[in-house]
Amino acid sequence: MSEPTPNAVKLLYFAWVREKIGRTEEICDLPQGIATIGELIAWLKTRGPGYEDAFQRPAVIRAAIDQVHVKPATAISGAREIAFFPPVTGG
Amino acid sequence: MSEPTPNAVKLLYFAWVREKIGRTEEICDLPQGIATIGELIAWLKTRGPGYEDAFQRPAVIRAAIDQVHVKPATAISGAREIAFFPPVTGG
Amino acid sequence: MAVRVQAQDFDVTAEISALTRGHLGIGAVVTFTGLVRGESQGETLTSMTLEHYPGMTEAELARVEAEALERWPLAASLIVHRIGTLNPGDNIVLVVTASPHRHAAIEAAAFLMDYLKSRAPFWKKETTASGAGTWVDARDGDAAALDRWKHPSKASE
Amino acid sequence: MAVRVQAQDFDVTAEISALTRGHLGIGAVVTFTGLVRGESQGETLTSMTLEHYPGMTEAELARVEAEALERWPLAASLIVHRIGTLNPGDNIVLVVTASPHRHAAIEAAAFLMDYLKSRAPFWKKETTASGAGTWVDARDGDAAALDRWKHPSKASE
């Protein structure tokens, strides 16, 4: 896998988000104008039926930037790795 | 050891109460007029220096009748076995 | 649903296995183990001896356990308390609670320890490096710990 | 002071021994073990698979543990969480806390479980007798359990 370019970010998907999208991770070149997690979700949703299904209810989607939990309003600038997943159910 | 007579009761002592009195248990013929645990303690205290030492602070003496915790005011009539001991410190 | 008073040590894993085997409704197991500490009020402890009231001890532990079973939906529980002479680091007491969900198991274990400490007829005598044997005093904190179980609305928080 | 994510089982006695050996200030050890239950919403469970986020899981567990160490005077603590496919009755998670006195160990163990459940990136998929695989939904009760730690005066009761 090649190193991400400065504008690129690694996206990871877990549990049913992963299953619906059909992939574990990908390197994405994000278009200009996407500043927050919420905006990134809205953009991902337009990328195909799997994405649309995975992100149809943003309220049940959780996100992490560089392995730290974040909110939908959190800015993504500088992120190397962004993960999307359902509410956690460990323990 | 012979069976207690109807007026007799088995007394047991534990921890420093046992050490001060110098015995583990005894069968006692109680004099008339001793109705409660508190009265029994007051009488026991008169039976010698060891007893006086053991029962000098009744507030730190705990008692059980037939293996159930009781209060100083509890009546002793019908008791087969009465135990005296310091506050418990297990666990 | 068992209480034992014994001189020998216990094995936590073995006790959990024996208690939970075949009970597939159990989702949470809590254990509390009490250990002999190496010092007492600044002095080095060399050993601790536990005296008890045979018969009443078992009866009182069973009453304490029955009370926990009335308050929480436990699938299984166990109290093991050692007697005799123990060394620093040795196990003294084990409480195990098992239930479908975790909060019942945790609260019941805390309750069992608080009640056991205030009601089960055991007495500890500590021997320190200086050779003196001292009966341990009951702690005020233990009575306070007990009080919180008398207010169900607070205890269940 | 350790967290581990592993496929293999754990042994509670061995983990307690490793954690407490040589620490003679420890008077209380609490363990919480989470187990796979045999049914889910009335259906018989045949297996459960745990997915996680490698890297973040360990980081998040370490953050949760650090928070417990800030709040309670713990002498030692451990979190072990299993991943992969497990069967009913199998161990899922182990939390161990050790402290001089019992209340700190009990409260810290409860806190660790509540925080771990709400923050550590694990996801459970259940397979039932009918063959269906279903992702487990997060429970509302877990969020409520978390809230109580935000009011120190209540949590310490």
Side-chain angles (χ1 to χ4, degrees):
Chain A
M1 206 177 294
S2 63
E3 277 297 295
T5 63
N7 274 334
V9 66
K10 187 178 178 183
L11 302 181
L12 294 93
Y13 310 112
F14 293 97
W16 55 252
V17 175
R18 169 180 58 72
E19 285 182 345
K20 284 172 196 272
I21 291 173
R23 63 188 69 183
T24 299
E25 61 178 71
E26 59 184 324
I27 309 281
C28 250
D29 258 316
L30 304 185
Q32 297 290 334
I34 294 180
T36 66
I37 289 288
E39 288 166 17
L40 177 53
I41 288 174
W43 174 71
L44 286 167
K45 216 169 148 178
T46 67
R47 294 180 75 219
Y51 291 90
E52 196 181 338
D53 190 16
F55 292 111
Q56 67 176 328
R57 290 163 54 219
V60 295
I61 299 293
R62 300 291 177 268
I65 294 181
D66 296 339
Q67 309 192 347
V68 175
H69 289 292
V70 295
K71 303 277 187 194
T74 304
I76 62 170
S77 88
R80 280 167 291 126
E81 176 175 310
I82 304 180
F84 294 99
F85 42 80
V88 302
T89 55
Chain B
M1 206 178 290
S2 62
E3 278 295 294
T5 62
N7 274 333
V9 66
K10 188 178 177 182
L11 302 181
L12 294 94
Y13 309 112
F14 293 97
W16 54 253
V17 175
R18 170 180 57 72
E19 286 182 344
K20 283 173 197 271
I21 291 174
R23 63 188 70 186
T24 299
E25 60 179 70
E26 59 185 322
I27 309 280
C28 251
D29 258 316
L30 305 185
Q32 296 291 334
I34 295 179
T36 67
I37 289 288
E39 289 165 17
L40 177 52
I41 288 175
W43 175 72
L44 285 168
K45 214 170 150 179
T46 67
R47 293 180 75 219
Y51 291 91
E52 195 180 336
D53 189 17
F55 292 112
Q56 67 177 327
R57 289 163 55 219
V60 295
I61 298 294
R62 300 292 178 267
I65 293 180
D66 296 338
Q67 309 193 347
V68 174
H69 289 292
V70 295
K71 302 277 187 194
T74 304
I76 63 170
S77 86
R80 279 168 293 127
E81 179 175 308
I82 303 179
F84 295 99
F85 43 79
V88 302
T89 55
Chain C
M1 325 301 165
V3 304
R4 292 193 331 250
V5 178
Q6 63 189 40
Q8 71 264 33
D9 199 9
F10 48 78
D11 180 280
V12 180
T13 301
E15 299 294 352
I16 292 176
S17 297
L19 215 58
T20 60
R21 191 169 297 131
H23 288 259
L24 292 181
I26 294 173
V29 176
V30 171
T31 72
F32 177 95
T33 307
L35 303 163
V36 180
R37 285 190 288 153
E39 62 150 46
S40 177
Q41 300 175 324
E43 272 206 272
T44 301
L45 200 80
T46 51
S47 72
M48 167 181 281
T49 301
L50 274 143
E51 179 170 333
H52 80 304
Y53 181 172
M56 178 167 171
T57 311
E58 292 82 353
E60 196 59 41
L61 291 177
R63 285 190 282 265
V64 167
E65 190 183 45
E67 201 157 328
L69 291 169
E70 240 174 61
R71 291 183 177 220
W72 289 278
L74 301 182
S77 64
L78 172 72
I79 305 174
V80 183
H81 205 299
R82 295 180 72 190
I83 50 172
T85 298
L86 305 174
N87 297 312
D90 281 356
N91 291 324
I92 303 172
V93 62
L94 173 67
V95 158
V96 188
T97 54
S99 67
H101 301 289
R102 71 189 186 282
H103 290 119
I106 291 171
E107 285 187 11
F111 171 91
L112 285 171
M113 279 309 302
D114 285 348
Y115 263 61
L116 178 163
K117 277 197 168 262
S118 74
R119 298 204 329 204
F122 292 101
W123 300 273
K124 287 184 185 129
K125 188 174 198 171
E126 296 175 339
T127 304
T128 56
S130 62
T134 313
W135 290 100
V136 173
D137 274 332
R139 295 174 61 229
D140 289 342
D142 289 332
L146 207 64
D147 272 349
R148 66 185 178 149
W149 300 109
K150 292 177 179 153
H151 310 287
S153 65
K154 290 167 86 181
S156 66
E157 276 179 4
Chain D
M1 325 300 168
V3 304
R4 291 191 336 248
V5 178
Q6 63 188 41
Q8 70 264 34
D9 199 8
F10 49 77
D11 180 281
V12 180
T13 301
E15 299 294 353
I16 292 177
S17 296
L19 215 58
T20 60
R21 192 170 297 130
H23 290 258
L24 292 181
I26 293 174
V29 177
V30 171
T31 73
F32 177 94
T33 308
L35 303 163
V36 181
R37 285 189 288 152
E39 63 150 45
S40 177
Q41 300 175 325
E43 273 207 272
T44 301
L45 201 80
T46 52
S47 72
M48 168 180 281
T49 300
L50 273 144
E51 179 171 333
H52 81 302
Y53 182 173
M56 177 166 172
T57 311
E58 291 82 353
E60 196 60 40
L61 291 178
R63 285 190 281 265
V64 167
E65 190 184 43
E67 200 157 329
L69 290 169
E70 240 174 60
R71 290 183 178 220
W72 289 277
L74 300 182
S77 64
L78 172 71
I79 304 175
V80 183
H81 205 299
R82 295 180 71 189
I83 50 172
T85 298
L86 305 174
N87 297 311
D90 281 356
N91 290 325
I92 303 172
V93 61
L94 173 68
V95 158
V96 188
T97 54
S99 68
H101 300 288
R102 71 188 186 283
H103 290 118
I106 290 171
E107 284 186 13
F111 171 89
L112 284 171
M113 280 308 304
D114 285 348
Y115 264 60
L116 179 162
K117 277 197 169 260
S118 74
R119 298 203 330 205
F122 291 101
W123 301 274
K124 287 183 184 132
K125 188 174 199 172
E126 295 175 338
T127 304
T128 56
S130 63
T134 313
W135 291 100
V136 173
D137 274 333
R139 295 174 61 229
D140 290 341
D142 289 333
L146 208 64
D147 272 349
R148 65 183 179 150
W149 300 109
K150 292 176 179 153
H151 310 287
S153 64
K154 290 165 87 181
S156 66
E157 275 180 1

